Amino acid sequence: MAPDIRLYGRSSILESFAAWGIRRRPIRPLPLLLLIGRRGSGKTAVLHELRRLASGWPCAFLDLDSRRNDSVVGLLGAIVFQLSEGHRGLGRLKFPRFLIGQLAAQLNLTGLTQDAARQAVHTLLDSVKRYRRLPPDVRQLLGQVLQAAVPGPAPVPDAVLSAFELTLRLWRAPGKRWWGDDGPAADRLVELNRQLHDGTQRERDEATEALGRAFLADLRSAYGNVFRGPDRTVASVALLDNAHLGAGTDLLRLLARLRASAVGAEPPDQLLLAAATGRRPDRLNLATPVDPDRLTWDDSRLGQGHAWFCPVELRDLTAREVTDWAERSGLSRRSGLAVTGGLPGAVSVLLELNGDPERLLLPDSPAVRSLETILDDFPESMRSALISAAAAEDCSPTSLNAALRDATAGQIRQLRTLLSERFWLAEDQLHPWLRALLLVQLRSRGDDDPDGWQKTHTRLLALHGSQARPDAARFHELALGRLRPVVCSVEAELDTKAPADWIALVRRITLAPHRRRRPADISGVAELSRWAADEPHRVLIVARLMAAHWLAADPFVRSGPDLFDAIADEYEELASLRPDGYGVFFGEAERFRGLALGRRIEEENR
């Protein structure tokens, strides 16, 4: 059985993670592994596979998409809740320092004098006795703390509440001492409560940092415990999906800051964290991202210039990797995979359709769901503009200004920022998968729509014509279906350009999108080039060549072998007409003969 395409080429991440997790008493902190990539790059799939690898280890998995309103303290509480589950051979990790801090923070001290607030905290601390159950009010308070950490609305089971109560009772002494002796501890916890509820932003950050220190102190204590510590030979794991949402980035910054302050003062903690983010993490101090297939222990580079993160950018798969995976999976149709741009999630969508790109255009196609998922990551006010932007040859500010009717410079800048932050824009080019899906939506707009296909491409044609960019202008003229003027102008350059440059020009122009589907075979070529029947022979050759190239470049149409043979035929004709370019044109003809042969073999094996 073939591996999950979303994990293909990611084995080094899994292997390194497993090696880090079983590394006994590391001499430096474990990595804060950051998985970076656009939607569909496989970040969540990798996290779930890491979760499977960590089965039997203390492990917390949080999807911040469902915790957007949680504070950093709330996220730490959720991690503590899951890490505290019992594990065979490892026992139950205890977090008394953090729990006491959270209980004190949960007290309602509003309106109390300093003495009354201190007395309330004293009462809380004194109520935690080794051989006595918690008073009902304190047990209720603990239930409120745990309820905020439970995923979902279900109440905290009584058995779980009793387990945390036992933690407080048995480990109350180190928990209290960490916050100070009896008097200072009460004063510190009163201040913690005030900072969290009524303090300035700086004071809230200080209180959050104090609870973060308590969390890591508990973790170090759990692994340094004389009785159970030697049995704990694997790390504690925290996995954060959609870490760019809510307080995720603030939590990552806090953990990095706490680790930096602990260098030389505390032993390394045993927290192995992996976070997936669909945004460029500009607020984090990152080293250069590592390729996912080249990750090693040394790539964590922790502590070097305070680079506490190990960023791994989940790149798209290469054409060879996609083909190799398709062969392993037994996928008979591999020719349509180009539309995916190598994006693992897009390849997975095409798998549902047996590799047939034409089925992506159906109303109930999984591609519709894929686009909805992508657009859900953009503000609703920008989605219509994003569809129009797909018509442009590139997403430079000038092109977008023409494609987006009446758009201001600020709106264009915002759209480019949104695309770049989400990894859909590179060197002013939209990712092929997103552009293909958006063009399907653009096709559905009517001719009277000022933002429809016809009028948007007309604006772009006028722009590039006025800027003396003939190649770009011909790109949009072809998108409007005007093959004749494009062919005539390209044919005229056959005498002035070097053969290789002329071929590159044909390829570039025929990447223009199609508004309507045509058969990607000889009949489609005949339909598009019928107008050239009475033209000079060389014009007819170029017309057939560009028509065939244009059909073959349509990502939603599965080109047949006859189409590639037709392209080869026209290049052979040109080779005879341009003796000085015979080798170049004939070589291109042979390349397409090879593509035709490969397509025939593929069809025979179906």
Side-chain angles (χ1 to χ4, degrees):
M1 182 177 179
D4 187 335
I5 185 63
R6 295 168 299 177
L7 299 176
Y8 210 65
R10 319 305 198 209
S11 59
S12 292
I13 299 175
L14 309 179
E15 293 167 2
S16 298
F17 190 88
W20 290 327
I22 60 175
R23 202 174 179 89
R24 178 66 177 158
R25 299 293 184 265
I27 60 175
R28 57 181 179 176
L30 294 168
L32 299 176
L33 183 64
L34 204 58
L35 305 176
I36 306 170
R38 63 181 66 86
R39 286 201 171 189
S41 60
K43 304 183 300 298
T44 299
V46 171
L47 283 185
H48 281 290
E49 185 64 12
L50 295 179
R51 187 181 192 180
R52 188 191 65 78
L53 287 175
S55 60
W57 305 2
C59 182
F61 187 101
L62 303 183
D63 185 353
L64 271 61
D65 188 31
S66 60
R67 291 184 173 274
R68 298 189 185 212
N69 297 324
D70 282 10
S71 63
V72 172
V73 173
L75 296 179
L76 285 173
I79 292 173
V80 164
F81 182 86
Q82 295 186 42
L83 292 183
S84 298
E85 296 179 4
H87 298 85
R88 181 173 297 180
L90 303 176
R92 187 186 298 276
L93 301 185
K94 312 293 193 302
F95 294 88
R97 298 162 183 81
F98 183 79
L99 285 176
I100 286 177
Q102 272 208 306
L103 284 174
Q106 195 72 18
L107 288 172
N108 184 8
L109 304 182
T110 304
L112 298 183
T113 64
Q114 181 67 18
D115 289 339
R118 186 186 300 113
Q119 183 58 47
V121 174
H122 266 303
T123 301
L124 169 66
L125 295 176
D126 290 343
S127 67
V128 182
K129 303 293 185 183
R130 186 177 182 87
Y131 300 108
R132 188 183 305 167
R133 287 178 62 87
L134 293 177
D137 58 332
V138 178
R139 187 177 171 85
Q140 182 181 6
L141 197 66
L142 178 60
Q144 294 173 4
V145 169
L146 297 179
Q147 186 64 59
V150 173
V156 179
D158 189 67
V160 174
L161 186 59
S162 297
F164 278 90
E165 177 184 351
L166 186 62
T167 293
L168 282 171
R169 287 162 50 198
L170 296 181
W171 297 88
R172 70 200 187 289
K176 290 180 182 179
R177 282 198 302 270
W178 193 84
W179 292 100
D181 296 328
D182 285 346
D187 290 337
R188 180 67 191 93
L189 291 170
V190 168
E191 180 65 10
L192 180 79
N193 183 290
R194 186 196 67 78
Q195 288 177 319
L196 286 174
H197 294 287
D198 303 313
T200 63
Q201 183 60 54
R202 182 175 180 178
E203 290 175 327
R204 287 196 298 272
D205 291 344
E206 290 176 358
T208 298
E209 185 167 318
L211 286 167
R213 291 184 188 281
F215 164 71
L216 291 180
D218 283 327
L219 201 57
R220 292 189 182 98
S221 176
Y223 281 87
N225 183 282
V226 175
F227 300 104
R228 297 309 302 265
D231 298 330
R232 292 167 179 158
T233 58
V234 293
S236 292
V237 174
L239 304 173
L240 308 180
D241 199 6
N242 294 302
H244 55 279
L245 300 177
T249 301
D250 290 334
L251 173 61
L252 295 174
R253 294 177 68 198
L254 172 65
L255 292 174
R257 190 165 63 248
L258 292 177
R259 284 187 167 177
S261 65
V263 173
E266 300 279 359
D269 61 72
Q270 294 280 328
L271 182 66
L272 177 56
L273 182 142
T277 174
R279 301 284 192 282
R280 295 196 183 279
D282 296 331
R283 296 169 58 201
L284 302 177
N285 184 12
L286 298 183
T288 303
V290 182
D291 284 342
D293 49 355
R294 294 187 176 89
L295 184 64
T296 66
W297 167 262
D298 294 332
D299 276 320
S300 60
R301 293 168 287 184
L302 298 173
Q304 299 180 16
H306 300 293
W308 299 99
F309 296 97
C310 179
V312 180
E313 186 164 350
L314 301 187
R315 59 169 175 79
D316 291 335
L317 304 180
T318 65
R320 176 172 293 181
E321 288 172 329
V322 172
T323 301
D324 179 53
W325 173 83
E327 290 175 350
R328 293 191 187 191
S329 66
L331 185 62
S332 59
R333 283 185 166 181
R334 299 191 295 274
S335 56
L337 298 176
V339 68
T340 67
L343 183 66
V347 177
S348 182
V349 167
L350 206 55
L351 171 63
E352 297 182 44
L353 306 177
N354 194 31
D356 186 354
E358 294 186 48
R359 295 174 62 188
L360 291 170
L361 300 172
L362 299 176
D364 58 347
S365 163
V368 176
R369 299 193 300 273
S370 178
L371 181 60
E372 289 174 350
T373 301
I374 294 172
L375 292 183
D376 186 54
D377 204 27
F378 286 83
E380 191 167 350
S381 60
M382 300 299 293
R383 295 175 190 175
S384 178
L386 184 58
I387 294 172
S388 298
E393 185 187 25
D394 58 45
C395 284
S396 64
T398 302
S399 295
L400 289 180
N401 186 52
L404 308 183
R405 184 176 49 88
D406 300 330
T408 65
Q411 290 171 328
I412 291 173
R413 187 164 52 250
Q414 181 187 6
L415 180 59
R416 283 173 52 84
T417 299
L418 290 170
L419 287 167
S420 179
E421 285 178 346
R422 290 154 176 77
F423 306 98
W424 292 111
L425 186 66
E427 297 180 353
D428 286 341
Q429 294 294 328
L430 277 178
H431 188 275
W433 177 245
L434 176 58
R435 187 165 187 264
L437 297 181
L438 293 173
L439 285 172
V440 174
Q441 298 299 309
L442 186 63
R443 284 179 179 178
S444 64
R445 292 177 174 175
D447 288 339
D448 295 333
D449 189 334
D451 295 316
W453 185 285
Q454 194 78 13
K455 294 188 178 181
T456 300
H457 278 289
T458 300
R459 288 196 299 272
L460 288 162
L461 173 60
L463 167 73
H464 296 306
S466 66
Q467 292 183 334
R469 295 180 60 194
D471 295 356
R474 286 179 287 198
F475 174 93
H476 293 289
E477 194 153 30
L478 189 56
L480 290 167
R482 302 171 188 169
L483 186 61
R484 182 170 189 157
V486 174
V487 167
C488 292
S489 64
V490 171
E491 186 271 336
E493 295 188 29
L494 187 56
D495 296 321
T496 59
K497 285 185 177 293
D501 293 338
W502 189 86
I503 291 173
L505 172 66
V506 170
R507 288 179 188 165
R508 188 162 58 251
I509 293 174
T510 53
L511 288 175
H514 295 249
R515 186 175 187 186
R516 66 186 184 90
R517 296 169 61 186
R518 295 180 176 88
D521 54 23
I522 300 299
S523 65
V525 174
E527 175 191 343
L528 288 171
S529 60
R530 186 177 297 115
W531 61 270
D534 297 328
E535 297 290 332
H537 184 58
R538 201 172 76 164
V539 174
L540 177 60
I541 293 172
V542 175
R544 289 173 178 167
L545 177 66
M546 294 197 69
H549 257 296
W550 193 30
L551 291 174
D554 187 350
F556 290 109
V557 176
R558 185 176 178 277
S559 305
D562 290 346
L563 186 64
F564 293 138
D565 276 334
I567 295 175
D569 289 342
E570 304 309 330
Y571 275 123
E572 287 180 355
E573 288 270 10
L574 289 177
S576 65
L577 295 176
R578 279 282 305 266
D580 60 321
Y582 181 88
V584 176
F585 286 122
F586 190 78
E588 192 70 0
E590 287 300 294
R591 187 172 74 86
F592 277 95
R593 295 284 186 213
L595 292 174
L597 177 61
R599 188 60 51 82
R600 286 191 174 91
I601 294 174
E602 179 184 324
E603 290 182 349
E604 290 173 359
N605 293 334
R606 283 174 52 190

